[in-house]
């Protein structure tokens, strides 16, 4: 949802989103014993393939492919409820203008070093006690400030997206600001 919001922000503010690969599989691999069986299965099987494909696509075709590929994968997985299998990944790759053979990487650890390095770079900006999404924005004096979130559903559009962006920049410019949080009462709303 945060990615959809950021695409809206690009339309209404002078912002250029740069996509970066993080992985819930990497983040949670040492927490598997605390998860229920279904989540353990997801983390061991479904969570690795798509991020492996994303990191391989970026390595072979440049980071500019990440936004379109992420959108193509996310639309299939989240909006359409398609399985995280080879067929779905191939369709997303084709939509993003990428070669279908990148789907082979989903079952390979060939790019896991790059995946772990990319994840570590992203999570190092916010600390280990968060998940995704992570956004990095200009803070006070131009230094980069990163946060987990915002977690928002549905993704704001138009001026509402702009106001949330403006608020994000405001809190980022406040020295010592760390967190705003409340319990989620609704799952993701995709439109």
């Amino acid at each position: 949802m945060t990615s959809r919001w950021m695409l809206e922000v690009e339309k209404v503010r002078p912002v250029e989103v740069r996509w970066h690969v993080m992985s819930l599989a990497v983040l949670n691999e040492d927490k598997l014993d605390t998860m229920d069986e279904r989540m353990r299965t997801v983390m061991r099987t479904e969570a690795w393939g798509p991020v492996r494909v994303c990191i391989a696509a970026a390595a072979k075709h440049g980071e500019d492919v990440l936004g379109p590929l992420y959108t193509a994968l996310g639309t299939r997985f989240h909006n359409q409820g398609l399985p995280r299998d080879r067929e779905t990944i191939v369709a997303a790759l084709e939509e993003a203008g990428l070669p279908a053979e990148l789907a082979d990487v989903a079952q390979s650890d060939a790019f896991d070093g790059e995946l772990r390095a990319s994840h570590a770079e992203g999570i190092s900006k916010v600390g280990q006690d968060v998940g995704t999404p992570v956004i990095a924005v200009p803070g006070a004096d131009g230094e980069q400030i990163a946060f987990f979130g915002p977690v928002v559903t549905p993704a704001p559009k138009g001026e509402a997206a702009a106001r949330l962006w403006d608020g994000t920049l405001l809190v980022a410019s406040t020295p010592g600001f760390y967190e705003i949080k409340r319990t989620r009462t609704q799952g993701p709303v995709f439109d």
Side-chain angles (χ1 to χ4, degrees):
M1 299 309 302
T2 302
S3 70
R4 305 306 87 191
W5 164 64
M6 285 305 306
L7 291 176
E8 282 292 312
V9 171
E10 279 188 314
K11 297 175 187 175
V12 295
R13 291 293 186 265
V15 171
E16 182 181 337
V17 175
R18 290 183 319 181
W19 301 94
H20 188 88
V21 178
M22 292 184 68
S23 170
L24 289 175
V26 172
L27 181 69
N28 292 310
E29 66 187 338
D30 64 341
K31 301 175 185 110
L32 292 176
D33 59 343
T34 66
M35 297 177 184
D36 64 40
E37 186 58 36
R38 186 187 73 75
M39 282 308 298
R40 271 194 302 276
T41 299
V42 167
M43 286 298 139
R44 287 183 177 136
T45 58
E46 297 177 23
W48 283 96
V51 293
R52 284 173 166 161
V53 170
C54 286
I55 204 73
K60 292 182 175 192
H61 300 279
E63 291 190 0
D64 289 345
V65 304
L66 288 173
L69 180 55
Y70 186 77
T71 294
L73 287 166
T75 299
R76 284 166 175 77
F77 297 154
H78 303 300
N79 299 66
Q80 298 171 5
L82 296 175
R84 295 172 190 225
D85 61 12
R86 181 180 174 75
E87 181 180 346
T88 304
I89 292 171
V90 166
L93 286 164
E94 290 173 350
E95 179 183 323
L98 294 164
E101 61 265 14
L102 280 170
D104 297 341
V105 176
Q107 300 302 317
S108 166
D109 63 1
F111 286 86
D112 284 6
E114 291 93 332
L115 173 58
R116 289 178 186 284
S118 181
H119 176 83
E121 181 185 341
I123 205 73
S124 72
K125 296 177 187 304
V126 292
Q128 294 292 325
D129 60 339
V130 301
T132 63
V134 170
I135 64 168
V137 301
D141 301 325
E143 79 272 12
Q144 193 177 64
I145 305 291
F147 293 107
F148 164 71
V151 176
V152 60
T153 195
K157 306 258 190 278
E159 195 53 35
R163 284 192 309 274
L164 180 56
W165 176 253
D166 295 343
T168 301
L169 294 179
L170 178 64
V171 298
S173 69
T174 303
F177 176 82
Y178 292 98
E179 183 174 11
I180 294 175
K181 187 161 175 105
R182 68 178 176 172
T183 300
R184 295 181 204 179
T185 59
Q186 180 178 355
V189 176
F190 301 102
D191 51 8

